[in-house]
Amino acid sequence: MITENLNLKYLGEEIVECINCGKKTFRIRHYYLYKVPYFGSVVLEVGICDKCGFRRRDVSVIEAGKPVRIIVRIKKKEDLNALVVKSSRATIIIPELGIEVYPGPIAPGYITTIEGILMNILDVIPSECFDERKPCYSKVKEIRRAIEGELPFTLIIEDPTGKSDVKGKGLSVVKEELTQS
């Protein structure tokens, strides 16, 4: 079995109501426990609706705690290599770049790097903003400078589930209790 080679453990299968079509045909087919360096165990969930074909994936840290705000100051290019587990309920804020990414009802969780988060943000910027003649091009330039390590910034992850985390060599990570307002 391929999952044995990846240190994955099959946990089971569950059928729930699909958030897309409303039928009880959404099958979480792959529900695995995976040991990730620095983070410990994470759950990877992959589901598909047998009726409408809607797909969803999620990842979260098993050793979750209370709602948390994670604050990371990115000062140099190497800091961009830090690993991030972002749960499906977490919000990403980068104040210096004016970026706030709120989770929607079907937002996925994922494992990436800080650079990967910036690349994901570039992926959702409207294509017109990549035109140097448009006013919003300045935002694209700022994000690219941050990706190159030329622009220090603060990454804030607010997670009401406490299932997100950031780990990196020499990186200062501050965790605060997230209070609901």
Side-chain angles (χ1 to χ4, degrees):
M1 182 175 200
I2 192 165
T3 58
E4 291 173 7
N5 296 333
L6 298 174
N7 295 322
L8 294 173
K9 181 180 176 188
Y10 182 68
L11 298 177
E13 180 175 288
E14 186 178 0
I15 298 176
V16 297
E17 186 176 302
C18 177
I19 62 170
N20 188 54
C21 70
K23 304 291 183 201
K24 190 167 181 167
T25 54
F26 187 78
R27 183 180 308 272
I28 300 174
R29 290 189 173 153
H30 307 286
Y31 202 53
Y32 296 106
L33 185 66
Y34 178 66
K35 293 210 182 274
V36 176
Y38 309 112
F39 291 100
S41 298
V42 297
V43 172
L44 305 173
E45 298 173 11
V46 179
I48 186 168
C49 180
D50 294 334
K51 173 118 174 99
C52 69
F54 173 75
R55 296 175 184 269
R56 185 169 194 281
R57 67 186 188 287
D58 198 5
V59 63
S60 58
V61 177
I62 293 290
E63 294 84 15
K66 296 178 180 174
V68 66
R69 176 180 293 114
I70 303 166
I71 304 166
V72 184
R73 182 80 178 130
I74 310 306
K75 299 177 183 173
K76 57 189 184 300
K77 186 155 177 71
E78 295 77 31
D79 295 344
L80 296 168
N81 296 325
L83 288 175
V84 177
V85 171
K86 185 202 103 30
S87 81
S88 60
R89 303 258 323 270
T91 297
I92 294 174
I93 303 166
I94 305 175
E96 297 85 349
L97 299 176
I99 294 171
E100 296 181 359
V101 181
Y102 296 95
I106 59 170
Y110 52 81
I111 300 173
T112 188
T113 61
I114 294 174
E115 179 180 20
I117 287 173
L118 293 171
M119 297 297 282
N120 288 345
I121 291 167
L122 276 180
D123 285 346
V124 297
I125 289 179
S127 59
E128 66 193 40
C129 292
F130 290 86
D131 182 341
E132 293 179 12
R133 298 169 294 183
K134 301 289 182 175
C136 56
Y137 179 72
S138 63
K139 183 63 63 187
V140 171
K141 260 176 60 173
E142 279 185 326
I143 296 169
R144 286 180 174 163
R145 284 187 59 221
I147 290 171
E148 291 303 315
E150 299 169 1
L151 183 65
F153 64 94
T154 307
L155 172 68
I156 301 170
I157 300 175
E158 295 183 345
D159 187 352
T161 67
K163 294 182 177 182
S164 297
D165 205 354
V166 178
K167 304 277 185 182
K169 277 190 173 178
L171 198 61
S172 172
V173 178
V174 176
K175 295 180 184 178
E176 304 173 343
E177 185 177 343
L178 179 63
T179 55
Q180 303 300 326
S181 44

